[in-house]
Amino acid sequence: MIKKFLKRVFRKSAKPKAVGNAQVIPFGLHGVAREQISYGALKVTDGLQAAGFQAYVVGGAVRDLLLDRIPKDFDVATDATPEEVRRVFRRSRIIGRRFRLVHVMFGEEVVEVSTFRRMIEAEDAQTDEHGRLLRDNEFGDQEQDAARRDFTANALFYDPATQEIFDYHGGYADTRNHLLRVIGDPLVRYREDPVRMLRAVRLSAKLGIKLDAATAAPIATMKNLLDNVPQARLLDEVLKMLLSGHSVECIQHLHKMNLHHGLLPLLDVILEHPVGEKFIMLALRNTDERISQDKTVSPAFLFAALLWHEVLAAWNLRVQQGGRPVGAMHEAMDEVLARQKAQLAIPHRQDAVMKEIWLMQQRFEQRSGQRPYRLLEQPRFRAGFDFLLLRCASGEVDEELGLWWDEFQDASAERRAEMLQPEGAGDKKRRRRPRKKKSVNGAGGETHEPSASESAE
Ligand code: ATP
Ligand code: MG
């Protein structure tokens, strides 16, 4: 009772105070306690401060704690140079070439420590012809470090020793009001780094907070700037969206803002096809669920799902033109991957897995002789089967096929033998020539003749 009363009085008397250009928000107001900071981040800030440096938890972690979310990781910002940080922590290493950061290791936890840096003044800045910053690697102070960050909510510094938050851009009030706002002029900041537009979409979707009007407005006209962003960075950001645990919301936001063009250009085509859309949304929902259950998610599986209906369409076209099913499938896969590579640099190492998943789909329909046994031995059977279940759930193939494989996997030897279909059933199908179809994309249940699964092993 007394405790509660004291807390109320304390909260009432807690007010931000100005220190230089910062508003310092006391614990009594924001309520983020030192105990909410990870073991490693506390070790880093305590260690650096004991060595005479400034050190704060910064960025996404402070924002997430204010929003009552569990931070993914804890980053630290300091006035110590990377070499000085290295000297304080034995188990650490310097990473990055353009801007050097230090990773400090505590068992499984890795704390990323960055030295305060400043935005380079317009006349010194190296930009490309569209205004995109090519270099921003000058050391600076805390205030300058706040100004070079993207959103006000991402520019808060938390000192675990005093439990105070340093705020230079009104990020505390914005976060409390569930608003994501660009620091400075959005036009300039998006030109410097167009990826900030995607970050705006991802963070607002993931955190369930709104984009401030001035932050959202220029995106429609500036989205073409994304064409100049190096592909590897785009892929990075797209993967962050897909693996954020909120991929469905991210895709919906992207779609709403018309931002998916040039990112996953095929998404456009796919989303116009009802079965394709259902399939992708199921795949994304499935991914979000796995992430919320702390299960692993493979990017290759996700890309295989996103591109599946493109592969089907390309395959169908070839088969209609008289191509043999298996050969047509290989050509279709190569064509779709090549087209997608021009937009998003999906690494080659994902190709093999994607192709395995796709090719397995053809083999699920063969349920006679030794074939099902051989398929079970495939190292990626599980991924292929999960993919098949998505196809069933989206209405692309008959539910019965998924149920059959579900049972066959765990059945006894006798039951498996009983389940096998008579030899020859698949052969007849294999010899059949595809009929002409109305739709180019033969993914639809109703126009599903022939299916990708009908071709031979
Ligand atoms: P997440 O929860 O996804 O990790 P985050 O905000 O921590 O979100 P990071 O990519 O880890 O995102 O970036 C850490 C911090 O670096 C951000 O909070 C922001 O202050 C700054 N930052 C990241 N990307 C940019 C950018 N493109 N422009 C300016 N500042 C950025
Ligand atoms: Mg982060």
Side-chain angles (χ1 to χ4, degrees):
M1 194 60 181
I2 294 175
K3 227 172 161 183
K4 226 177 182 177
F5 173 74
L6 282 177
K7 212 170 171 181
R8 218 167 49 219
V9 173
F10 186 45
R11 268 189 191 250
K12 264 198 179 153
S13 62
K15 284 203 179 71
K17 59 175 193 263
V19 175
N21 289 326
Q23 285 291 308
V24 180
I25 324 279
F27 169 75
L29 212 55
H30 61 69
V32 175
R34 177 181 160 87
E35 292 72 45
Q36 290 172 266
I37 307 300
S38 72
Y39 172 85
L42 284 181
K43 281 272 183 206
V44 171
T45 50
D46 288 351
L48 286 172
Q49 289 175 355
F53 299 107
Q54 295 179 46
Y56 302 88
V57 175
V58 69
V62 185
R63 173 200 72 207
D64 290 354
L65 287 171
L66 284 175
L67 290 167
D68 284 330
R69 288 171 184 262
I70 298 165
K72 202 175 61 189
D73 41 39
F74 288 80
D75 298 331
V76 169
T78 177
D79 61 350
T81 62
E83 287 73 18
E84 287 169 333
V85 177
R86 277 272 298 130
R87 254 175 263 144
V88 178
F89 303 102
R90 236 171 4 102
R91 292 211 3 96
S92 65
R93 61 193 159 101
I94 296 182
I95 56 147
R97 252 184 314 151
R98 211 172 66 123
F99 191 82
R100 287 149 61 242
L101 305 164
V102 185
H103 278 177
V104 186
M105 274 74 76
F106 297 92
E108 296 242 300
E109 186 182 358
V110 179
V111 179
E112 193 166 285
V113 184
S114 62
T115 306
F116 292 148
R117 48 184 145 145
R118 68 182 177 90
M119 214 154 26
I120 297 161
E121 296 307 322
E123 58 268 25
D124 304 336
Q126 290 184 12
T127 56
D128 69 6
E129 72 270 30
H130 306 282
R132 190 168 65 85
L133 271 184
L134 299 175
R135 208 169 62 98
D136 62 344
N137 58 354
E138 301 279 321
F139 291 142
D141 61 20
Q142 187 189 41
E143 182 173 353
Q144 290 167 328
D145 193 66
R148 62 111 188 149
R149 293 177 184 272
D150 45 7
F151 304 104
T152 63
N154 281 349
L156 299 169
F157 298 83
Y158 177 79
D159 182 346
T162 62
Q163 303 187 107
E164 287 171 329
I165 289 177
F166 289 69
D167 179 5
Y168 292 87
H169 298 281
Y172 177 69
D174 284 345
T175 310
R176 282 278 180 252
N177 294 326
H178 286 198
L179 261 189
L180 196 64
R181 185 197 308 273
V182 163
I183 295 174
D185 179 354
L187 296 176
V188 175
R189 303 306 307 281
Y190 290 152
R191 222 173 285 131
E192 282 170 6
D193 182 6
V195 168
R196 288 175 185 148
M197 294 187 268
L198 298 178
R199 287 179 55 84
V201 173
R202 173 169 63 86
L203 291 175
S204 73
K206 171 175 141 176
L207 301 167
I209 63 179
K210 268 193 17 206
L211 287 183
D212 155 70
T215 294
I219 294 180
T221 49
M222 297 185 83
K223 61 185 181 201
N224 293 343
L225 292 178
L226 283 168
D227 298 345
N228 311 313
V229 175
Q231 284 186 350
R233 252 200 103 198
L234 267 192
L235 180 76
D236 236 34
E237 194 51 40
V238 169
L239 269 178
K240 275 192 187 171
M241 288 188 174
L242 296 178
L243 302 175
S244 66
H246 299 268
S247 63
V248 171
E249 291 99 314
C250 280
I251 296 287
Q252 283 165 346
H253 279 56
L254 280 181
H255 215 37
K256 212 163 59 199
M257 304 190 98
N258 240 337
L259 257 179
H260 57 296
H261 291 293
L263 264 191
L264 286 172
L266 302 175
L267 212 59
D268 238 5
V269 185
I270 298 161
L271 292 181
E272 278 162 21
H273 194 282
V275 184
E277 171 167 8
K278 198 166 170 205
F279 178 78
I280 286 174
M281 285 306 171
L282 276 171
L284 293 178
R285 220 161 269 140
N286 185 39
T287 305
D288 291 350
E289 219 161 87
R290 287 184 70 92
I291 291 172
S292 79
Q293 295 163 353
D294 271 340
K295 291 186 187 162
T296 55
V297 177
S298 119
F301 184 92
L302 214 61
F303 281 121
L306 287 173
L307 300 175
W308 171 240
H309 280 258
E310 278 301 303
V311 172
L312 267 188
W315 179 80
N316 269 320
L317 204 64
R318 284 183 165 73
V319 173
Q320 276 173 30
Q321 289 161 354
R324 296 182 61 82
V326 177
M329 180 52 96
H330 280 278
E331 283 172 25
M333 294 190 303
D334 288 339
E335 180 197 311
V336 169
L337 285 174
R339 213 183 317 154
Q340 192 60 38
K341 286 251 148 51
Q343 311 286 339
L344 266 187
I346 298 176
H348 276 297
R349 70 191 135 79
Q350 312 277 14
D351 287 7
V353 183
M354 291 164 73
K355 284 184 174 178
E356 264 179 77
I357 292 173
W358 288 335
L359 281 169
M360 250 189 270
Q361 303 311 307
Q362 298 191 310
R363 297 173 57 188
F364 278 116
E365 224 149 300
Q366 304 183 353
R367 292 180 275 171
S368 60
Q370 284 305 303
R371 293 187 203 97
Y373 296 97
R374 284 207 293 273
L375 191 50
L376 278 182
E377 282 159 21
Q378 274 269 324
R380 270 184 236 288
F381 174 83
R382 189 72 222 176
F385 174 66
D386 283 346
F387 201 88
L388 174 71
L389 291 184
L390 283 177
R391 294 172 62 215
C392 291
S394 72
E396 184 211 329
V397 286
D398 205 319
E399 201 95 49
E400 184 268 330
L401 188 63
L403 292 173
W404 190 92
W405 278 99
D406 191 39
E407 186 183 351
F408 189 76
Q409 281 173 69
D410 303 318
S412 64
E414 296 92 63
R415 177 67 190 135
R416 278 185 180 173
E418 265 170 38
M419 288 177 74
L420 287 182
Q421 291 184 343
E423 192 66 67
D427 293 348
K428 220 189 286 161
K429 262 187 177 172
R430 256 182 286 152
R431 277 198 298 273
R432 191 170 67 202
R433 276 272 157 236
R435 272 189 252 136
K436 279 264 180 253
K437 286 190 308 90
K438 276 187 232 117
S439 151
V440 176
N441 188 337
E446 69 291 355
T447 55
H448 192 58
E449 188 74 44
S451 91
S453 320
E454 282 176 22
S455 54
E457 224 173 295

